[in-house]
mmCIF file with all atom_site columns, all heavy atoms in Angstrom:
data_model
loop_
_atom_site.group_PDB
_atom_site.id
_atom_site.type_symbol
_atom_site.label_atom_id
_atom_site.label_alt_id
_atom_site.label_comp_id
_atom_site.label_asym_id
_atom_site.label_entity_id
_atom_site.label_seq_id
_atom_site.pdbx_PDB_ins_code
_atom_site.Cartn_x
_atom_site.Cartn_y
_atom_site.Cartn_z
_atom_site.occupancy
_atom_site.B_iso_or_equiv
_atom_site.pdbx_formal_charge
_atom_site.auth_seq_id
_atom_site.auth_comp_id
_atom_site.auth_asym_id
_atom_site.auth_atom_id
_atom_site.pdbx_PDB_model_num
ATOM 1  N N   . VAL N 1 22 ? -10.800 61.904 -20.204 1.00 97.00 ? 219 VAL N N   1
ATOM 2  C CA  . VAL N 1 22 ? -10.060 60.994 -19.326 1.00 97.00 ? 219 VAL N CA  1
ATOM 3  C C   . VAL N 1 22 ? -8.579  61.201 -19.635 1.00 97.00 ? 219 VAL N C   1
ATOM 4  O O   . VAL N 1 22 ? -8.174  61.173 -20.802 1.00 97.00 ? 219 VAL N O   1
ATOM 5  C CB  . VAL N 1 22 ? -10.465 59.521 -19.569 1.00 97.00 ? 219 VAL N CB  1
ATOM 6  C CG1 . VAL N 1 22 ? -9.562  58.573 -18.773 1.00 97.00 ? 219 VAL N CG1 1
ATOM 7  C CG2 . VAL N 1 22 ? -11.932 59.307 -19.208 1.00 97.00 ? 219 VAL N CG2 1
ATOM 8  N N   . ASN N 1 23 ? -7.779  61.421 -18.600 1.00 97.00 ? 220 ASN N N   1
ATOM 9  C CA  . ASN N 1 23 ? -6.362  61.691 -18.829 1.00 97.00 ? 220 ASN N CA  1
ATOM 10 C C   . ASN N 1 23 ? -5.670  60.483 -19.449 1.00 97.00 ? 220 ASN N C   1
ATOM 11 O O   . ASN N 1 23 ? -5.950  59.355 -19.070 1.00 97.00 ? 220 ASN N O   1
ATOM 12 C CB  . ASN N 1 23 ? -5.664  62.062 -17.516 1.00 97.00 ? 220 ASN N CB  1
ATOM 13 C CG  . ASN N 1 23 ? -6.127  63.412 -17.008 1.00 97.00 ? 220 ASN N CG  1
ATOM 14 O OD1 . ASN N 1 23 ? -6.479  64.289 -17.800 1.00 97.00 ? 220 ASN N OD1 1
ATOM 15 N ND2 . ASN N 1 23 ? -6.162  63.572 -15.702 1.00 97.00 ? 220 ASN N ND2 1
ATOM 16 N N   . PRO N 1 24 ? -4.739  60.719 -20.375 1.00 98.00 ? 221 PRO N N   1
ATOM 17 C CA  . PRO N 1 24 ? -3.975  59.593 -20.935 1.00 98.00 ? 221 PRO N CA  1
ATOM 18 C C   . PRO N 1 24 ? -2.980  59.076 -19.887 1.00 98.00 ? 221 PRO N C   1
ATOM 19 O O   . PRO N 1 24 ? -2.628  59.810 -18.970 1.00 98.00 ? 221 PRO N O   1
ATOM 20 C CB  . PRO N 1 24 ? -3.268  60.212 -22.134 1.00 98.00 ? 221 PRO N CB  1
ATOM 21 C CG  . PRO N 1 24 ? -3.127  61.662 -21.787 1.00 98.00 ? 221 PRO N CG  1
ATOM 22 C CD  . PRO N 1 24 ? -4.303  62.018 -20.914 1.00 98.00 ? 221 PRO N CD  1
ATOM 23 N N   . PRO N 1 25 ? -2.523  57.837 -20.010 1.00 98.00 ? 222 PRO N N   1
ATOM 24 C CA  . PRO N 1 25 ? -1.810  57.168 -18.914 1.00 98.00 ? 222 PRO N CA  1
ATOM 25 C C   . PRO N 1 25 ? -0.487  57.812 -18.504 1.00 98.00 ? 222 PRO N C   1
ATOM 26 O O   . PRO N 1 25 ? -0.083  57.681 -17.358 1.00 98.00 ? 222 PRO N O   1
ATOM 27 C CB  . PRO N 1 25 ? -1.577  55.750 -19.442 1.00 98.00 ? 222 PRO N CB  1
ATOM 28 C CG  . PRO N 1 25 ? -1.771  55.834 -20.915 1.00 98.00 ? 222 PRO N CG  1
ATOM 29 C CD  . PRO N 1 25 ? -2.748  56.924 -21.155 1.00 98.00 ? 222 PRO N CD  1
ATOM 30 N N   . TYR N 1 26 ? 0.195   58.496 -19.411 1.00 98.00 ? 223 TYR N N   1
ATOM 31 C CA  . TYR N 1 26 ? 1.509   59.033 -19.062 1.00 98.00 ? 223 TYR N CA  1
ATOM 32 C C   . TYR N 1 26 ? 1.518   60.565 -18.998 1.00 98.00 ? 223 TYR N C   1
ATOM 33 O O   . TYR N 1 26 ? 2.590   61.167 -19.007 1.00 98.00 ? 223 TYR N O   1
ATOM 34 C CB  . TYR N 1 26 ? 2.560   58.542 -20.063 1.00 98.00 ? 223 TYR N CB  1
ATOM 35 C CG  . TYR N 1 26 ? 2.667   57.033 -20.099 1.00 98.00 ? 223 TYR N CG  1
ATOM 36 C CD1 . TYR N 1 26 ? 2.342   56.323 -21.256 1.00 98.00 ? 223 TYR N CD1 1
ATOM 37 C CD2 . TYR N 1 26 ? 3.069   56.320 -18.978 1.00 98.00 ? 223 TYR N CD2 1
ATOM 38 C CE1 . TYR N 1 26 ? 2.430   54.942 -21.288 1.00 98.00 ? 223 TYR N CE1 1
ATOM 39 C CE2 . TYR N 1 26 ? 3.152   54.934 -19.001 1.00 98.00 ? 223 TYR N CE2 1
ATOM 40 C CZ  . TYR N 1 26 ? 2.836   54.252 -20.158 1.00 98.00 ? 223 TYR N CZ  1
ATOM 41 O OH  . TYR N 1 26 ? 2.919   52.880 -20.193 1.00 98.00 ? 223 TYR N OH  1
ATOM 42 N N   . GLY N 1 27 ? 0.335   61.169 -18.992 1.00 98.00 ? 224 GLY N N   1
ATOM 43 C CA  . GLY N 1 27 ? 0.276   62.629 -18.916 1.00 98.00 ? 224 GLY N CA  1
ATOM 44 C C   . GLY N 1 27 ? 0.843   63.281 -20.163 1.00 98.00 ? 224 GLY N C   1
ATOM 45 O O   . GLY N 1 27 ? 0.785   62.717 -21.263 1.00 98.00 ? 224 GLY N O   1
ATOM 46 N N   . GLN N 1 28 ? 1.404   64.484 -19.964 1.00 98.00 ? 225 GLN N N   1
ATOM 47 C CA  . GLN N 1 28 ? 1.965   65.260 -21.078 1.00 98.00 ? 225 GLN N CA  1
ATOM 48 C C   . GLN N 1 28 ? 3.279   64.631 -21.542 1.00 98.00 ? 225 GLN N C   1
ATOM 49 O O   . GLN N 1 28 ? 4.256   64.639 -20.818 1.00 98.00 ? 225 GLN N O   1
ATOM 50 C CB  . GLN N 1 28 ? 2.204   66.698 -20.610 1.00 98.00 ? 225 GLN N CB  1
ATOM 51 C CG  . GLN N 1 28 ? 2.866   67.587 -21.644 1.00 98.00 ? 225 GLN N CG  1
ATOM 52 C CD  . GLN N 1 28 ? 1.940   67.841 -22.829 1.00 98.00 ? 225 GLN N CD  1
ATOM 53 O OE1 . GLN N 1 28 ? 0.859   68.399 -22.662 1.00 98.00 ? 225 GLN N OE1 1
ATOM 54 N NE2 . GLN N 1 28 ? 2.354   67.426 -24.018 1.00 98.00 ? 225 GLN N NE2 1
ATOM 55 N N   . LEU N 1 29 ? 3.280   64.081 -22.752 1.00 98.00 ? 226 LEU N N   1
ATOM 56 C CA  . LEU N 1 29 ? 4.491   63.441 -23.267 1.00 98.00 ? 226 LEU N CA  1
ATOM 57 C C   . LEU N 1 29 ? 5.542   64.495 -23.596 1.00 98.00 ? 226 LEU N C   1
ATOM 58 O O   . LEU N 1 29 ? 5.221   65.645 -23.903 1.00 98.00 ? 226 LEU N O   1
ATOM 59 C CB  . LEU N 1 29 ? 4.160   62.641 -24.528 1.00 98.00 ? 226 LEU N CB  1
ATOM 60 C CG  . LEU N 1 29 ? 3.126   61.531 -24.369 1.00 98.00 ? 226 LEU N CG  1
ATOM 61 C CD1 . LEU N 1 29 ? 2.817   60.891 -25.719 1.00 98.00 ? 226 LEU N CD1 1
ATOM 62 C CD2 . LEU N 1 29 ? 3.599   60.469 -23.377 1.00 98.00 ? 226 LEU N CD2 1
ATOM 63 N N   . GLN N 1 30 ? 6.799   64.052 -23.556 1.00 98.00 ? 227 GLN N N   1
ATOM 64 C CA  . GLN N 1 30 ? 7.914   64.930 -23.928 1.00 98.00 ? 227 GLN N CA  1
ATOM 65 C C   . GLN N 1 30 ? 8.964   64.094 -24.645 1.00 98.00 ? 227 GLN N C   1
ATOM 66 O O   . GLN N 1 30 ? 8.957   62.874 -24.529 1.00 98.00 ? 227 GLN N O   1
ATOM 67 C CB  . GLN N 1 30 ? 8.629   65.507 -22.701 1.00 98.00 ? 227 GLN N CB  1
ATOM 68 C CG  . GLN N 1 30 ? 7.829   65.847 -21.501 1.00 98.00 ? 227 GLN N CG  1
ATOM 69 C CD  . GLN N 1 30 ? 8.740   66.077 -20.282 1.00 98.00 ? 227 GLN N CD  1
ATOM 70 O OE1 . GLN N 1 30 ? 9.861   66.586 -20.388 1.00 98.00 ? 227 GLN N OE1 1
ATOM 71 N NE2 . GLN N 1 30 ? 8.255   65.689 -19.119 1.00 98.00 ? 227 GLN N NE2 1
ATOM 72 N N   . VAL N 1 31 ? 9.889   64.779 -25.315 1.00 98.00 ? 228 VAL N N   1
ATOM 73 C CA  . VAL N 1 31 ? 11.071  64.110 -25.831 1.00 98.00 ? 228 VAL N CA  1
ATOM 74 C C   . VAL N 1 31 ? 12.246  64.556 -24.969 1.00 98.00 ? 228 VAL N C   1
ATOM 75 O O   . VAL N 1 31 ? 12.485  65.752 -24.799 1.00 98.00 ? 228 VAL N O   1
ATOM 76 C CB  . VAL N 1 31 ? 11.334  64.464 -27.311 1.00 98.00 ? 228 VAL N CB  1
ATOM 77 C CG1 . VAL N 1 31 ? 12.617  63.816 -27.806 1.00 98.00 ? 228 VAL N CG1 1
ATOM 78 C CG2 . VAL N 1 31 ? 10.161  64.038 -28.173 1.00 98.00 ? 228 VAL N CG2 1
ATOM 79 N N   . GLN N 1 32 ? 12.956  63.569 -24.402 1.00 98.00 ? 229 GLN N N   1
ATOM 80 C CA  . GLN N 1 32 ? 14.163  63.847 -23.599 1.00 98.00 ? 229 GLN N CA  1
ATOM 81 C C   . GLN N 1 32 ? 15.290  63.069 -24.260 1.00 98.00 ? 229 GLN N C   1
ATOM 82 O O   . GLN N 1 32 ? 15.235  61.831 -24.288 1.00 98.00 ? 229 GLN N O   1
ATOM 83 C CB  . GLN N 1 32 ? 13.984  63.354 -22.171 1.00 98.00 ? 229 GLN N CB  1
ATOM 84 C CG  . GLN N 1 32 ? 12.869  64.028 -21.390 1.00 98.00 ? 229 GLN N CG  1
ATOM 85 C CD  . GLN N 1 32 ? 13.307  65.347 -20.775 1.00 98.00 ? 229 GLN N CD  1
ATOM 86 O OE1 . GLN N 1 32 ? 14.506  65.638 -20.669 1.00 98.00 ? 229 GLN N OE1 1
ATOM 87 N NE2 . GLN N 1 32 ? 12.345  66.164 -20.404 1.00 98.00 ? 229 GLN N NE2 1
ATOM 88 N N   . GLY N 1 33 ? 16.264  63.777 -24.805 1.00 97.00 ? 230 GLY N N   1
ATOM 89 C CA  . GLY N 1 33 ? 17.311  63.073 -25.556 1.00 97.00 ? 230 GLY N CA  1
ATOM 90 C C   . GLY N 1 33 ? 16.655  62.381 -26.747 1.00 97.00 ? 230 GLY N C   1
ATOM 91 O O   . GLY N 1 33 ? 15.964  63.022 -27.540 1.00 97.00 ? 230 GLY N O   1
#
Side-chain angles (χ1 to χ4, degrees):
V219 173
N220 291 329
Y223 301 116
Q225 176 68 61
L226 301 176
Q227 324 166 34
V228 177
Q229 297 277 344

